[in-house]
Amino acid sequence: MQWRALVLGLVLLRLGLHGVLWLVFGLGPSMGFYQRFPLSFGFQRLRAPDGPESPALGPAGRPGPPGGPSGPSWLQPPVSGAAAAAGRRRAPRRPEPGVCGPAHWGYVLGGRGRDRDEYEKRYSGAFPPQLRAQMRDLARGMFVFGYDNYMAHAFPQDELNPIHCRGRGPDRGDPSNLNINDVLGNYSLTLVDALDTLAIMGNSSEFQKAVKLVIDTVSFDKDSTVQVFEATIRVLGSLLSAHRIITDSKQPFGDMTIKDYDNELLHMAHDLAVRLLPAFENTKTGIPYPRVNLKTGVPPDSNNETCTAGAGSLLVEFGILSRLLGDSTFEWVARRAVKALWNLRSNDTGLLGNVVNIQTGRWVGKQSGLGAGLDSFYEYLLKSYILFGEKEDLEMFNAAYRSIQNYLRRGREACNEGEGDPPLYVNVNMFSGQLMNTWIDSLQAFFPGLQVLIGDVEDAICLHAFYYAIWKRYGALPERYNWQLQAPDVLFYPLRPELVESTYLLYQATKNPFYLHVGMDILQSLEKYTKVKCGYATLHHVIDKSKEDRMESFFLSETCKYLYLLFDEENPVHKSGTKYMFTTEGHIVSVDKHLRESPWKEFFSEDGGQDQEGKSVHRPKSPELKVINSSSNCNRVPDERRYSLPLKSIYMRQIDQMVGLI
């Protein structure tokens, strides 16, 4: 009996060892943490609707080894180094310019079990001229309704409360209410921010009236503590844009001239910028303080921490001002901040974090992504090059874009081909490139538009489809969406323009009527869910559609503007022969070779203008006010025949040729 017991024990031991190997080495059920989530969003797990189940995925969405992790490919680390770079350079095949194919649209847009021909018919068919004109008029009517109600019920306060039909200014009772006080400076923000939208829509009489109101009633000599970034992009940028429109000798939008105009808007822009300059003083890194008081300077209790986008997205407006005035000061301080941030990037990944200490240069927020805290930093590296032609801006952007592709981009390489999930850009640790969370925010929807500008249209098409699918699900973009849990993390929608902007630019690049249908969906959603008695209100909750009593100024300066331009094919922006670029707040800027002439380049060296302690040293004196007027400028979007060319070829050949430099 003992030998039988021994044999039985050996058999059981062998079976036990096989069981352990079976579990540990993937010969049985996976013991990995991640299981494949049904990522539907209307995406049906983000795979082809009529294709087979995807196998377990390795890095960058490629098939992994048997028994490997079975989570979504977005959860997997990307391929690094030369292999990733080589993969990104391969241009994916597409069925036609501007669309990922009918099967792709069918399942991306929520078509569980629906005929793919339905989506082909609806989204890739013609968009009749009569319908386009109807949508153009609807977009203009949306702007007029919001603007007229602001002027009737809120002016001269900063914003309109559209539900209760009254104005809103800074929250004097609660200085810590940064959501309000960072933006509202008691300077008629909504009126100032909307100036160039009036011109683009051809309303010369209201534009002239609004400009005179701004000149006569707006002052920056206020005891208001505002965020430097918001004051720059919303107010300074709008003043400069309107000034350029007024002084443009060609007047493409109609007669926007102002009788006896004496560069008042440019003087106002100068006054505001001077009041923002204290933010750049007494900072050891050259990175500015996040807030200033317009009357007294940096508050004594000011925070030493700022976000990368807020500190590094001032160069376009400050640079235009410097080159119009002939005063290097403003461009110099903004450029020094960009370089300081750039020099703090990770040596391993080339990525930047989202929050930094302006005195120590240490990263407080180590998240690297494309949304809040970083978005416009990348945008302005490119747009600064387009405007000013400084090659170091292009070099920084190209390096940043390579790091983004290598570490933030997850999923398969092609939009509509291959195994795994479609491409998505995730949030990672700036030093390791490891995934930090599983959400994206609505600000990231700007990135497809930026990709259009650099010619990476294939990737832009696919990423845009991701955000549009979320919009289709809720009739709005939640502020933050968790792609793993398939649910919003932050539920409000403050009428943001980023998806509309990318839709407009993709249409300009591809001329595919799909994007007109997208714009129509967005217009109809805004009319249905956000229109109230006296304007358009923030959605507090994208699911139950409850509202907040606030209409932010960017709704008129950006959201309505991009919707209008999407449907107004004959607009002078498209037909006048003058090419334009938009700032991060949607303000239109004509670019000419005069803006690319920098007589003070030597002052942009690392050791010029301030010492290492951030104390002011000699700068060139401001000459008498000089105004540069010209209409020739570079193209907003790449030629659709070129959008598979390498980045440098797109920039150097197209942009430089457009401004007549070569």
Side-chain angles (χ1 to χ4, degrees):
M1 296 296 293
Q2 290 182 349
W3 68 269
R4 291 180 180 176
L6 179 62
V7 170
L8 181 61
L10 290 173
V11 170
L12 291 174
L13 178 62
R14 184 171 183 179
L15 290 174
L17 289 173
H18 276 287
V20 171
L21 293 172
W22 186 64
L23 291 173
V24 172
F25 292 101
L27 300 177
S30 171
M31 297 298 289
F33 176 76
Y34 294 117
Q35 302 298 317
R36 175 165 290 275
F37 289 84
L39 296 172
S40 59
F41 307 99
F43 285 81
Q44 297 190 37
R45 289 173 63 174
L46 295 170
R47 66 178 189 271
D50 51 354
E53 180 74 27
S54 297
L57 300 172
R62 295 174 178 81
S70 59
S73 58
W74 301 332
L75 293 167
Q76 309 305 320
V79 171
S80 59
R88 298 290 179 256
R89 285 193 296 268
R90 290 196 297 269
R93 292 173 295 162
R94 294 180 296 111
E96 59 177 295
V99 65
C100 278
H104 178 78
W105 292 125
Y107 87 90
V108 161
L109 299 174
R112 288 190 179 94
R114 301 172 74 175
D115 191 336
R116 288 176 294 172
D117 291 341
E118 176 184 345
Y119 291 97
E120 175 73 7
K121 180 179 179 180
R122 179 178 179 187
Y123 290 102
S124 295
F127 202 89
Q130 298 87 347
L131 182 57
R132 171 178 254 171
Q134 181 184 346
M135 292 300 104
R136 179 201 61 206
D137 293 344
L138 180 60
R140 176 164 45 205
M142 181 178 289
F143 171 84
V144 169
F145 185 70
Y147 177 85
D148 285 352
N149 274 287
Y150 165 78
M151 295 304 297
H153 301 291
F155 176 80
Q157 295 190 70
D158 288 305
E159 285 182 351
L160 170 67
N161 290 353
I163 295 175
H164 289 97
C165 304
R166 56 177 178 243
R168 178 200 297 268
D171 188 351
R172 303 296 190 190
D174 183 9
S176 66
N177 186 0
L178 300 181
N179 184 47
I180 297 297
N181 293 329
D182 271 357
V183 178
L184 309 189
N186 195 22
Y187 37 41
S188 302
L189 174 64
T190 297
L191 175 63
V192 175
D193 212 1
L195 289 177
D196 67 312
T197 308
L198 289 166
I200 286 172
M201 292 186 177
N203 193 340
S204 59
S205 61
E206 190 61 35
F207 174 79
Q208 292 163 346
K209 177 183 175 182
V211 168
K212 291 175 183 176
L213 269 177
V214 169
I215 293 172
D216 293 341
T217 66
V218 174
S219 169
F220 301 120
D221 188 25
K222 299 288 179 65
D223 184 19
S224 297
T225 299
V226 296
Q227 192 184 83
V228 175
F229 170 71
E230 294 290 358
T232 298
I233 66 169
R234 298 201 197 200
V235 182
L236 181 62
S238 185
L239 292 172
L240 293 171
S241 176
H243 168 74
R244 299 274 284 176
I245 289 170
I246 294 167
T247 57
D248 186 345
S249 61
K250 294 183 179 180
Q251 290 295 301
F253 302 108
D255 184 8
M256 301 294 163
T257 58
I258 306 294
K259 184 178 180 181
D260 299 323
Y261 180 70
D262 191 23
N263 303 317
E264 287 92 345
L265 295 186
L266 183 58
H267 285 289
M268 292 178 69
H270 186 208
D271 177 45
L272 175 59
V274 168
R275 296 173 186 273
L276 299 178
L277 280 181
F280 297 87
E281 299 173 0
N282 301 312
T283 160
K284 295 180 180 179
T285 61
I287 302 170
Y289 286 91
R291 298 171 184 88
V292 296
N293 184 286
L294 295 177
K295 189 181 285 286
T296 63
V298 177
D301 59 348
S302 184
N303 191 352
N304 284 328
E305 297 175 359
T306 190
C307 71
T308 304
S313 305
L314 310 172
L315 184 52
V316 166
E317 289 82 3
F318 273 47
I320 293 172
L321 180 63
S322 274
R323 295 181 187 226
L324 291 178
L325 296 175
D327 179 357
S328 67
T329 303
F330 307 101
E331 181 174 350
W332 187 87
V333 295
R335 190 171 291 281
R336 183 170 189 261
V338 172
K339 291 181 180 179
L341 289 164
W342 183 251
N343 290 335
L344 294 175
R345 70 194 186 281
S346 168
N347 292 328
D348 295 323
T349 65
L351 298 172
L352 294 87
N354 58 345
V355 180
V356 67
N357 186 297
I358 67 172
Q359 302 296 350
T360 66
R362 293 179 180 173
W363 290 105
V364 179
K366 300 177 178 62
Q367 176 175 300
S368 191
L370 298 178
L374 276 159
D375 49 354
S376 55
F377 177 80
Y378 298 125
E379 178 185 4
Y380 269 22
L381 289 179
L382 174 61
K383 291 184 176 179
S384 295
Y385 172 72
I386 293 173
L387 283 169
F388 309 129
E390 301 289 344
K391 291 186 179 180
E392 65 177 344
D393 296 335
L394 178 61
E395 291 167 357
M396 286 188 286
F397 178 81
N398 280 337
Y401 195 72
R402 284 192 295 269
S403 294
I404 289 168
Q405 295 298 312
N406 288 338
Y407 292 97
L408 272 61
R409 190 184 190 275
R410 304 291 172 88
R412 63 183 181 233
E413 291 181 1
C415 176
N416 196 33
E417 295 179 315
E419 302 289 350
D421 299 314
L424 180 70
Y425 292 83
V426 299
N427 300 318
V428 303
N429 183 288
M430 64 171 289
F431 295 110
S432 66
Q434 296 299 309
L435 187 71
M436 287 192 70
N437 50 59
T438 58
W439 52 259
I440 52 92
D441 65 54
S442 64
L443 291 170
Q444 291 176 233
F446 92 98
F447 197 66
L450 189 66
Q451 290 181 306
V452 168
L453 294 185
I454 64 175
D456 198 355
V457 178
E458 290 90 346
D459 225 34
I461 290 167
C462 206
L463 187 59
H464 175 273
F466 177 86
Y467 291 101
Y468 178 49
I470 300 173
W471 182 285
K472 288 287 289 183
R473 182 170 180 177
Y474 299 106
L477 271 187
E479 188 71 354
R480 185 180 291 178
Y481 190 88
N482 192 308
W483 45 261
Q484 185 182 39
L485 301 179
Q486 310 166 59
D489 279 351
V490 181
L491 287 151
F492 71 89
Y493 169 65
L495 309 175
R496 290 200 188 278
E498 284 75 18
L499 178 61
V500 184
E501 176 186 8
S502 290
T503 302
Y504 164 65
L505 291 174
L506 272 165
Y507 178 72
Q508 290 301 311
T510 66
K511 299 300 181 183
N512 193 293
F514 168 78
Y515 298 104
L516 299 176
H517 289 280
V518 173
M520 183 168 65
D521 277 349
I522 293 173
L523 259 174
Q524 292 171 341
S525 295
L526 290 171
E527 282 288 315
K528 180 178 181 180
Y529 298 124
T530 72
K531 190 173 185 178
V532 292
K533 181 179 179 181
C534 292
Y536 294 84
T538 292
L539 286 182
H540 175 72
H541 196 294
V542 297
I543 298 175
D544 66 23
K545 302 300 187 292
S546 57
K547 299 173 181 64
E548 296 180 16
D549 196 9
R550 187 177 187 186
M551 187 179 81
E552 292 221 38
S553 67
F554 53 66
F555 176 70
L556 299 183
S557 71
E558 297 185 81
T559 307
C560 293
K561 178 185 295 165
Y562 288 128
L563 283 169
Y564 180 80
L565 287 173
L566 174 64
F567 295 108
D568 189 17
E569 188 74 7
E570 301 303 315
N571 193 277
V573 171
H574 310 134
K575 296 293 188 180
S576 68
T578 300
K579 304 301 180 181
Y580 296 94
M581 193 195 77
F582 295 88
T583 70
T584 195
E585 184 70 8
H587 297 305
I588 197 164
V589 179
S590 61
V591 187
D592 59 70
K593 55 187 177 183
H594 294 293
L595 288 179
R596 289 189 157 212
E597 295 170 355
S598 174
W600 49 71
K601 186 170 293 188
E602 65 273 15
F603 294 104
F604 292 157
S605 61
E606 289 293 331
D607 56 352
Q610 281 187 334
D611 62 19
Q612 292 182 347
E613 297 299 319
K615 298 177 181 178
S616 298
V617 297
H618 175 73
R619 295 193 191 102
K621 292 183 179 180
S622 303
E624 187 176 344
L625 183 67
K626 297 178 181 178
V627 184
I628 302 172
N629 298 323
S630 182
S631 300
S632 173
N633 55 52
C634 74
N635 205 344
R636 169 67 174 170
V637 297
D639 188 309
E640 58 195 82
R641 295 168 296 179
R642 297 183 181 176
Y643 53 56
S644 292
L645 293 177
L647 298 182
K648 186 173 181 180
S649 177
I650 284 287
Y651 301 152
M652 303 300 291
R653 288 173 52 189
Q654 182 180 344
I655 296 173
D656 287 343
Q657 285 176 359
M658 287 297 177
V659 297
L661 298 179
I662 58 174

